[in-house]
């Protein structure tokens, strides 16, 4: 039986950060494995660069950015990062960064030249005060930090000024595919209004949704049918975001080189950006996307096109 793909008309992207030709670089107008994305004000955005050891701020209309966290040289001092993954920005424009291989989350207060540790302690571990590969990141309006602790197969919540976190999803050190287990969780999306936490459950090729403070059981809202490229499957989902207007779930389906959209309650998704299984550098293709975010008014989508070392902007309304 042939596989049926559900697709939409191809959206054309515009490169708003990086060279746009698939080439990495270290200059302020270049990117090297861009991973995390976060919105700023006036259509500015932030991007965490895994291999440039920095977070860049990109202003609308200017593809040359400025370094707002890290130095561009890997290290473990308070002004350095080592392979940052996700980034989050609060209402006061303070910057939170998953400092992956330093096993910590760092906070750069607005206009600060160095950060402070706000989760983890810089050593790898599986206790309540340590992290083993911090990938996904979300911060709520009260300053609580949610961290997907990939190697420990869990998501932890760190309250402001806490020296240890509490478990909110998964079982520490145990992976699995049941509704209480995770397998190498990656990206997070927090719907604070409805108390939902969405998790890109990378090793299980699915998106899990948890009702915070209510249950330890997750609900599969996308994928969960093994690794694949059919419309009911995902393959290495890295990032996830959710429309506050429609509830649609957008997924950076990395190994399928596409952004998938799943409507609430749907059993299948549709390809929103890219072509399933086809990587490339033209304006309609992606190469291993790692994250996806929506602008505040949800008229624009930004995609971390990691394998092409660029960020693409798509007008979606």
């Amino acid at each position: 039986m042939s596989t049926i793909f559900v697709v939409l008309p191809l959206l054309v992207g515009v490169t708003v950060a990086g060279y746009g030709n698939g080439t990495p670089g270290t200059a302020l107008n270049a990117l090297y494995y861009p991973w995390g994305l976060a919105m700023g004000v006036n259509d500015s955005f932030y991007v965490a660069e895994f291999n440039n050891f920095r977070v860049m701020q990109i202003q609308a209309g200017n593809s040359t950015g400025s370094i707002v966290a890290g130095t561009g040289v890997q290290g473990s001092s308070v002004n350095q990062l080592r392979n940052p993954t996700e980034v989050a920005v609060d209402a006061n424009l303070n910057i939170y960064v998953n400092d992956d291989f330093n096993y910590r989350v760092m906070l750069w207060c607005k206009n600060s030249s160095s950060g402070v540790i706000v989760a983890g302690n810089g050593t790898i571990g599986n206790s309540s005060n340590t992290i083993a590969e911090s990938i996904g990141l979300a911060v709520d309006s009260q300053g609580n930090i949610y961290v997907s602790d990939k190697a420990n197969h869990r998501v932890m919540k760190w309250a402001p000024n806490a020296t240890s976190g509490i478990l909110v999803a998964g079982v520490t050190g145990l992976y699995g595919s049941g509704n209480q287990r995770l397998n190498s969780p990656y990206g997070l999306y927090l719907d604070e209004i409805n108390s939902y936490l969405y998790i890109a459950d990378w090793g299980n090729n699915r998106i899990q949704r948890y009702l915070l403070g209510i249950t330890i059981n997750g609900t599969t809202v996308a994928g969960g049918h093994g690794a694949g490229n059919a419309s009911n499957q995902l393959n290495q989902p890295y990032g996830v975001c959710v429309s506050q207007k429609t509830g649609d779930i957008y997924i950076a389906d990395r190994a399928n080189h596409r952004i998938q959209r799943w409507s609430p309650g749907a059993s299948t998704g549709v390809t929103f950006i890219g072509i399933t299984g086809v990587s490339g550098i033209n304006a309609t293709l992606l190469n291993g996307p790692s994250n996806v975010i929506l602008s505040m008014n949800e008229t624009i989508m930004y995609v971390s096109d990691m394998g092409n070392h660029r960020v693409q902007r798509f007008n979606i309304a």
Side-chain angles (χ1 to χ4, degrees), residues 10-93:
L10 288 176
L11 291 177
V12 176
V14 175
T15 300
V16 290
Y19 292 140
N21 62 1
T23 303
T26 60
L28 294 181
N29 65 337
L31 299 173
Y32 198 167
Y33 286 136
W35 192 315
L37 290 173
M39 287 303 304
V41 296
N42 299 321
D43 285 330
S44 67
F45 63 92
Y46 299 79
V47 53
E49 293 184 74
F50 190 75
N51 271 20
N52 271 337
F53 318 110
R54 66 190 185 186
V55 175
M56 300 289 287
Q57 183 182 20
I58 311 294
Q59 301 290 344
N62 187 356
S63 61
T64 298
S66 57
I67 300 174
V68 292
T71 64
V73 177
Q74 67 173 319
S76 58
S77 68
V78 293
N79 68 335
Q80 291 179 305
L81 299 167
R82 186 180 175 205
N83 303 110
T85 51
E86 293 289 354
V87 57
V89 179
D90 67 18
N92 295 315
L93 300 183

Side-chain angles (χ1 to χ4, degrees), residues 116-129:
V116 295
I117 299 175
V118 290
N121 59 18
T123 61
I124 188 171
N126 61 9
S127 63
S128 62
N129 67 338

Side-chain angles (χ1 to χ4, degrees), residues 35-37 50 83-88 96-100 104-106 119 131-139 144-151 154-158 168 182 184-190 197-202 237-240 290-291:
W35 192 315
L37 290 173
F50 190 75
N83 303 110
T85 51
E86 293 289 354
V87 57
Y96 298 77
V97 187
N98 261 346
D99 193 8
D100 189 7
R104 64 190 187 184
V105 177
M106 300 294 288
I131 293 171
E133 290 190 60
S134 55
I135 303 294
L137 181 66
V139 180
N144 296 300
I145 302 165
Y146 297 83
V147 183
S148 62
D149 189 2
K150 172 182 175 285
R154 67 185 184 184
V155 175
M156 301 288 284
K157 175 184 175 181
W158 295 68
V168 295
L182 300 169
S184 302
Y186 269 60
L188 301 178
Y189 179 84
L190 178 64
L197 181 68
Y198 294 81
I199 304 171
D201 192 9
W202 178 84
Y238 263 44
V240 57
S290 59
N291 208 344

